[in-house]
Amino acid sequence: MERRNQTVVSEFLLLGLTDDPALQLLIFSLFLTMYLITILGNLLIILAISSDSHLHMPMYFFLSNLSFNDICFSSTTIPKMLVNILTDVQSSTYTACLSQVCFVFIFGGLENCLLAVMAYDHYVAICYPLRYTVIMNPQLCILLVLISMLLSTVDALVHTLTALRLSFCTSPEIPHFFCELAQIIKVACSDTLINNLLVYLVMDIFAAVPLSGIIFSYICIVSSVLKIPSSEGKYKAFSTCGSHLLVVTLYYGTGFGVYISSEVTDSPRKMALASVMYSVVPQMLYPFIYSLRNRDMKGALRKLIDRITCPL
């Protein structure tokens, strides 16, 4: 590899989604609205579950953790972009950029694990209904969440620590609205072979293993449901996991779309736009999916809103 002039980099330049000043206000308004909807929607889910004793079950315990994770995931990227647009400052310090990379991997990886854990919960509920409360006891639920957090944190630290070995040329520019590891690797002046191998290897494993677990769980669920003699029983069983299946399809569908777009286009800006569909939109839509398709959640949210608006 040809050696270029290398220096100690103190900051990165985030070029954002567009250079057009006329579009900056539109992008700011759009992302601010999506962020507020994400925070409010997921916060209402958490408050509704915690305030309703009927929802103190494993399925809703995992859902509240997913909602909290989505709040953290969105807060890792969007506020910084909004501040950059508002202050017309595109720079991000080296430490802040790598910290953002780390947190994106933590919450992104935790999202994968939690969706897999929720699929396992549905599998036990439908395939072993009589043993559900014994198998999905509080200790196991907490352990599954802690293991998910541990795995996602280790994954994030591996990528972040290997990124520390990279050296950069003067004022590296990242054509994105947040510090994405793939873009950081592209602007590095040093050898990036190890980093690229880790990105493809670890990310593929971290996506494939949870997805395989989800697919296996739903194969078992479908097989079990088809054995139910009554149509009403089948409908009730499928409606139990309908919201989760829709969320999984949305999350992995948008992720696959981002991967395809990165393969077919060389435009970093188009890839950044595509990543919005993966890192921003799903987290905003999850509360609507769970609240509109789940009767218990709708009832809990209605009670919570009545309690907030009419405290007396």
Side-chain angles (χ1 to χ4, degrees):
M1 176 180 290
E2 182 183 350
R3 304 284 294 185
R4 287 174 285 179
N5 291 333
Q6 299 178 8
T7 184
V8 177
V9 171
S10 60
E11 63 181 21
F12 293 89
L13 294 179
L14 298 175
L15 301 183
L17 297 175
T18 180
D19 294 324
D20 188 353
L23 293 176
Q24 293 284 17
L25 181 60
L26 175 62
I27 292 174
F28 177 85
S29 303
L30 180 62
F31 273 79
L32 178 61
T33 301
M34 289 193 295
Y35 180 64
L36 292 177
I37 292 173
T38 301
I39 298 298
L40 180 61
N42 284 288
L43 190 59
L44 283 174
I45 293 288
I46 295 172
L47 291 175
I49 292 173
S50 61
S51 62
D52 193 331
S53 59
H54 294 95
L55 299 184
H56 293 176
M57 298 160 44
M59 180 176 76
Y60 297 106
F61 170 73
F62 296 131
L63 177 57
S64 61
N65 278 276
L66 181 68
S67 295
F68 180 73
N69 183 72
D70 290 335
I71 291 175
C72 295
F73 196 3
S74 300
S75 300
T76 302
T77 57
I78 300 180
K80 173 63 177 175
M81 187 197 71
L82 295 177
V83 170
N84 286 356
I85 294 176
L86 202 60
T87 60
D88 198 26
V89 175
Q90 294 180 312
S91 62
S92 178
T93 65
Y94 178 81
T95 303
C97 205
L98 288 186
S99 298
Q100 189 177 56
V101 168
C102 184
F103 284 117
V104 165
F105 271 100
I106 288 175
F107 299 124
L110 187 54
E111 188 103 351
N112 280 287
C113 293
L114 286 176
L115 289 176
V117 168
M118 293 172 76
Y120 175 72
D121 174 67
H122 288 302
Y123 159 73
V124 176
I126 293 175
C127 298
Y128 303 98
L130 298 179
R131 298 176 56 196
Y132 177 72
T133 54
V134 176
I135 297 174
M136 299 303 297
N137 57 75
Q139 292 80 11
L140 179 62
C141 293
I142 294 173
L143 181 63
L144 288 172
V145 172
L146 291 177
I147 291 175
S148 299
M149 293 176 62
L150 177 63
L151 291 175
S152 60
T153 302
V154 170
D155 173 53
L157 288 176
V158 167
H159 287 294
T160 307
L161 292 176
T162 53
L164 289 173
R165 59 180 288 275
L166 297 174
S167 56
F168 302 90
C169 301
T170 306
S171 300
E173 298 180 346
I174 299 176
H176 215 299
F177 65 93
F178 70 93
C179 294
E180 187 184 48
L181 181 60
Q183 297 298 329
I184 292 177
I185 292 174
K186 285 182 179 180
V187 299
C189 295
S190 55
D191 184 21
T192 59
L193 177 62
I194 296 176
N195 299 82
N196 282 315
L197 285 175
L198 277 174
V199 166
Y200 285 105
L201 180 63
V202 178
M203 287 184 65
D204 286 348
I205 293 175
F206 220 84
V209 172
L211 182 58
S212 299
I214 293 171
I215 293 173
F216 176 77
S217 296
Y218 274 103
I219 289 174
C220 295
I221 288 171
V222 171
S223 176
S224 180
V225 169
L226 291 177
K227 296 177 182 177
I228 300 176
S230 66
S231 300
E232 184 181 350
K234 291 179 181 178
Y235 174 77
K236 185 177 180 180
F238 277 126
S239 62
T240 302
C241 51
S243 298
H244 176 260
L245 189 58
L246 187 57
V247 165
V248 168
T249 303
L250 177 64
Y251 182 73
Y252 284 101
T254 53
F256 184 70
V258 171
Y259 175 78
I260 293 297
S261 68
S262 66
E263 295 295 323
V264 299
T265 181
D266 294 327
S267 172
R269 286 290 171 79
K270 290 181 179 179
M271 291 171 57
L273 285 171
S275 70
V276 172
M277 297 300 297
Y278 175 73
S279 60
V280 178
V281 175
Q283 289 73 26
M284 178 184 69
L285 295 179
Y286 291 169
F288 294 101
I289 294 173
Y290 277 104
S291 60
L292 294 177
R293 292 184 56 87
N294 189 300
R295 186 185 307 171
D296 294 332
M297 275 303 309
K298 280 193 287 188
L301 284 170
R302 194 177 297 114
K303 291 178 184 177
L304 177 64
I305 293 173
D306 290 341
R307 194 176 304 151
I308 294 174
T309 55
C310 305
L312 299 179

